[in-house]
Amino acid sequence: MDAATNTDTRGRRRLGYVVTALAALLVVGLLTIEGSRAAFSASTANGSNTFSAGSVSITDDDAGSVMFNLSNMVPGTTATKCINVTYTGSAPANVRMYGTVGGTGLAPYLDTVIDVGTGATGGSGFSCANFTGGANAFNNTLANFGTSHSNYGNGNGTNFSGATNPTTRSYRVQVTLQDNGLAQGKNASATLTWEAQNV
């Protein structure tokens, strides 16, 4: 082996040693950095956070019975019934009453008075015993009720706003047939609805 070859081999060996040394230093440096990261640490947390939606719930005590089932009415026939409506939702709500009125034309001749109070016996017999209070909510014809209070937007909310769980109101409904010959032979139907919407 000549001197030039010998020198070249020694040079490559030195270069190999230098590269190996640098690689070792790099590994040591990385390990030192990783070790430093593990040694210095801080954190903070907020939890566990929970979320739940409120509810709107409203019931009445009619036990599935209809309030009025009057036939062969004559002028002056009057019927008075009471129903209790209870709000039990978890979110505060406004409760409004409205109705759908139909039939063959008797509704304009049925004078209707609705009062809102508390304490009525109600139930499937719609008893007005113990009814107290009595803020007037409506006093016109059944036909007028159907047109003026036809949905929640124009519904009557007398004494039933901002309800919380539980809130009960007694509704006393009185219907009287007018003394008008034009009412003869006609009929009417009505569905009363109480709707609650959160405030």
Side-chain angles (χ1 to χ4, degrees):
M1 183 181 293
D2 58 24
T5 301
N6 222 2
T7 302
D8 185 51
T9 300
R10 283 196 299 270
R12 278 197 293 246
R13 281 182 187 154
R14 286 195 195 97
L15 180 59
Y17 294 148
V18 170
V19 170
T20 301
L22 288 173
L25 286 171
L26 180 60
V27 170
V28 171
L30 288 173
L31 289 174
T32 302
I33 291 171
E34 289 300 319
S36 297
R37 286 179 181 166
F40 299 100
S41 177
S43 66
T44 185
N46 170 257
S48 169
N49 296 290
T50 61
F51 306 88
S52 65
S55 64
V56 172
S57 179
I58 190 168
T59 60
D60 63 58
D61 66 345
D62 64 10
S65 300
V66 296
M67 192 179 298
F68 296 98
N69 186 12
L70 305 175
S71 59
N72 295 317
M73 296 178 73
V74 296
T77 297
T78 297
T80 303
K81 305 285 186 177
C82 283
I83 185 171
N84 293 306
V85 177
T86 302
Y87 178 75
T88 57
S90 64
N94 291 330
V95 179
R96 297 180 184 176
M97 176 188 183
Y98 56 91
T100 302
V101 176
T104 62
L106 185 61
Y109 307 104
L110 290 172
D111 292 331
T112 304
V113 179
I114 301 173
D115 296 316
V116 185
T118 58
T121 301
S124 59
F126 302 98
S127 171
C128 289
N130 304 313
F131 178 87
T132 59
N136 184 253
F138 183 78
N139 190 351
N140 208 301
T141 66
L142 185 62
N144 180 271
F145 183 84
T147 55
S148 61
H149 301 301
S150 58
N151 55 63
Y152 181 85
N154 59 23
N156 190 294
T158 302
N159 202 29
F160 213 149
S161 298
T164 55
N165 181 9
T167 302
T168 299
R169 294 289 181 265
S170 299
Y171 285 77
R172 183 173 62 191
V173 183
Q174 183 182 79
V175 178
T176 304
L177 180 61
Q178 296 175 5
D179 186 2
N180 191 320
L182 295 176
Q184 189 172 184
K186 294 181 171 60
N187 63 62
S189 63
T191 298
L192 303 180
T193 301
W194 288 263
E195 181 176 340
Q197 292 190 13
N198 66 284
V199 177

